[in-house]
Amino acid sequence: MTEPEREREEDQARCWVIGVLDDGPQGLSDAARERLGRVQRVIGATRVLALCDGLLNPHAERLDLTGRTASVAAWVSEALDAEHDVAVLATGDPLCFGIGGLLAARLMPRLPPSRFRVLPNPSTLQLACARFMLPWQDARWVSVHHCDSGDWVCGGTPEHGLYHLAQALTGASGAGDLIGVLTSPANGPERIARLLLAEGLDDVFAIHVAECLLRPDERLISEVPAAVLASARCAHPNVVLLQRRHAAPARSVFGLPDAFFAQRVPARGLITKREVRAVALALLELRPGDLVWDLGAGSGSLGLEAARLCPDGHVHAIERNHLDLDLIETNRRRLGVTNYSATVGVAPGDCATWPAPDTVFIGGSGGQLTPILEMVVQRLRPAGRLVVSLVLLENLTTAMALLDRVGLDWSVTQIQAARSSPLAGGHRLQPENPVWLIQARTAQDPPLPDGSRICV
């Protein structure tokens, strides 16, 4: 594109999304300064509006988006409909966890791209990496700029503001050796340090904090122990960089030996055996983002392996024996799994508040098989999968009859495995108890109330 063509295209733009850093006008390009002096409407947070106030047309309308992010797209649309130029001020790079992504999603589908221009600055994450001389091309970026959910508690659910950071720390979502964290006043370095301590990762990651970047009071904090930082008070705004000190241990994706899992002593064996576990996981047909229920978790072996196969999902597990919850927690820490929540209780009653599942595994029913199945059938999402592990013939016939009654497609797989064991200087095959696995699935689309289906 020639320079005249570029200028003509820029003249068509009526919305300018401009990245601003804490050095204010000093860090803006000439193009950004020129546009800020011409627009009739300026949208930005209180702090950013104040930084750029001297550059604005005195008659320009100023709209504060603090606490009103959802209104920004409508404000931009109003200005464009009135043929007014509008500028939206963001922090750093507007398309890196910024307002630019929201505007693109809401306005671009119905407005031509030529109406918009983004003038980015370096993101604060990029600046922090520069301060600490940390290459960032393979870094994982996480934002904890959410509402205050309190300190992280092991077994937290996706609603928690630190959940995705916990996932990245344990490598569940493909984290690398460097994790950059956009913080908030509530979810700051102190709370992140307490998360590391709670998950036993304080020796795994070095913590770097960049406070007040580009301000006169800028301060860099590096290699402070998590236990010290946990009770410190850091100045805001800040950015946190978590640098892995040593590689995470490599483990099989699934199919771990039974001996890996802590089990009840002396009554060992409250575990879905590896051969059955492998087939059950296959029958669940897990997807990366699935929400999984594990009913009758025992030692947690199946649910924990399911959590590792669903790095962007979550597993809710329930076990009636409170002593087994300690075993589950031990096994969870061994595997470094954070997308897994276990609770003491009895299905179906104690699962009533859980979010609807994509997949359900029933490993134990405690004599409540029929009500559990009835509840699961009602709660499973469209195209959901159910796998039931059974060792009693009576439960098998009960389950098949119920699934027939509700009209679900189902199939049965019998697992009869045998393991080698020493005998008289040789080996023999020691048979394991036979297990039936029922797989059932719901329809792709839920039926309409009258039983008909949508036709398109």
Side-chain angles (χ1 to χ4, degrees):
M1 180 183 297
T2 65
E3 187 65 21
E5 289 174 332
R6 185 186 64 79
E7 290 178 355
R8 283 196 299 272
E9 187 170 316
E10 288 189 353
D11 286 340
Q12 298 177 20
R14 307 306 297 265
C15 177
W16 295 77
V17 187
I18 300 173
V20 182
L21 292 168
D22 277 345
D23 57 354
Q26 179 181 339
L28 293 177
S29 65
D30 291 340
R33 290 165 174 265
E34 190 269 336
R35 290 296 167 176
L36 283 177
R38 288 173 47 184
V39 297
Q40 290 98 348
R41 173 176 282 187
V42 184
I43 304 167
T46 307
R47 181 173 60 87
V48 182
L49 285 171
L51 283 170
C52 297
D53 188 68
L55 297 177
L56 305 182
N57 183 327
H59 304 292
E61 179 185 17
R62 294 151 169 83
L63 295 177
D64 194 331
L65 62 77
T66 304
R68 305 186 65 186
T69 304
S71 302
V72 175
W75 292 343
V76 171
S77 294
E78 290 171 0
L80 296 179
D81 291 343
E83 292 297 317
H84 290 162
D85 290 341
V86 57
V88 181
L89 305 181
T91 300
D93 186 343
L95 294 172
C96 179
F97 296 103
I99 194 71
L102 174 68
L103 294 177
R106 295 191 180 178
L107 298 179
M108 293 296 282
R110 61 185 184 85
L111 292 170
S114 60
R115 303 281 278 180
F116 295 89
R117 281 293 176 274
V118 176
L119 296 179
N121 246 311
S123 72
T124 52
L125 290 169
Q126 185 178 351
L127 283 173
C129 288
R131 291 293 191 269
F132 293 107
M133 286 294 290
L134 294 173
W136 58 272
Q137 66 269 13
D138 295 322
R140 170 75 184 277
W141 304 129
V142 180
S143 173
V144 296
H145 205 277
H146 309 293
C147 59
D148 187 353
S149 303
D151 275 7
W152 175 255
V153 177
C154 294
T157 60
E159 294 73 31
H160 198 285
L162 298 178
Y163 180 82
H164 295 293
L165 175 57
Q167 284 283 84
L169 290 169
T170 56
S173 296
D177 292 332
L178 182 67
I179 301 172
V181 188
L182 286 169
T183 64
S184 68
N187 295 326
E190 308 91 331
R191 185 167 281 174
I192 292 170
R194 292 194 289 272
L195 183 157
L196 291 173
L197 291 167
E199 290 290 345
L201 297 171
D202 48 306
D203 290 330
V204 177
F205 287 92
I207 308 174
H208 309 283
V209 183
E211 297 178 345
C212 305
L213 284 165
L214 299 178
R215 291 185 181 181
D217 56 344
E218 176 181 307
R219 184 172 70 137
L220 304 178
I221 304 170
S222 189
E223 292 283 1
V224 175
V228 174
L229 190 60
S231 58
R233 293 183 64 85
C234 295
H236 192 79
N238 56 64
V239 174
V240 172
L241 300 175
L242 300 170
Q243 184 181 18
R244 186 180 289 275
R245 289 191 172 102
H246 46 78
R251 291 196 180 96
S252 304
V253 176
F254 84 116
L256 292 166
D258 297 344
F260 173 86
F261 296 96
Q263 302 169 50
R264 197 183 303 170
V265 178
R268 293 178 64 84
L270 191 64
I271 185 173
T272 303
K273 297 295 196 302
R274 177 163 60 174
E275 296 84 357
V276 176
R277 194 164 67 244
V279 176
L281 289 167
L283 293 174
L284 285 170
E285 300 175 17
L286 297 167
R287 298 168 297 194
D290 273 354
L291 195 148
V292 182
W293 287 6
D294 181 11
L295 308 182
S299 302
S301 61
L302 186 133
L304 288 167
E305 292 211 64
R308 300 178 75 215
L309 294 169
C310 302
D312 301 319
H314 193 84
V315 175
H316 289 270
I318 192 167
E319 171 54 47
R320 66 191 305 166
N321 191 318
H322 69 93
L323 296 177
D324 288 331
L325 238 63
D326 292 336
L327 299 175
I328 291 173
E329 176 61 14
T330 297
N331 293 327
R332 185 192 71 81
R333 285 182 176 271
R334 285 180 180 176
L335 285 172
V337 167
T338 54
N339 57 332
Y340 180 97
S341 304
T343 185
V344 175
V346 178
D350 292 327
C351 307
T353 61
W354 288 3
D358 298 293
T359 55
V360 176
F361 177 74
I362 301 176
S365 61
Q368 300 294 309
L369 182 60
T370 295
I372 289 174
L373 284 173
E374 290 173 342
M375 180 269 294
V376 168
V377 167
Q378 292 176 356
R379 298 291 309 280
L380 263 177
R381 292 175 178 172
R385 286 86 63 208
L386 163 68
V387 173
V388 190
S389 176
L390 302 163
V391 295
L392 297 179
L393 181 59
E394 291 79 5
N395 283 344
L396 176 64
T397 56
T398 296
M400 290 189 298
L402 187 147
L403 294 172
D404 274 337
R405 188 169 73 247
V406 299
L408 287 192
D409 293 331
W410 57 268
S411 62
V412 177
T413 301
Q414 178 179 301
I415 307 297
Q416 176 69 71
R419 296 178 176 180
S420 63
S421 62
L423 177 66
H427 291 82
R428 71 182 182 109
L429 286 177
Q430 177 70 40
E432 299 288 333
N433 289 330
V435 176
W436 290 289
L437 294 174
I438 298 182
Q439 184 199 51
R441 60 178 68 245
T442 55
Q444 290 284 342
D445 300 301
L448 293 175
D450 63 358
S452 60
R453 290 190 175 274
I454 300 173
C455 294
V456 294

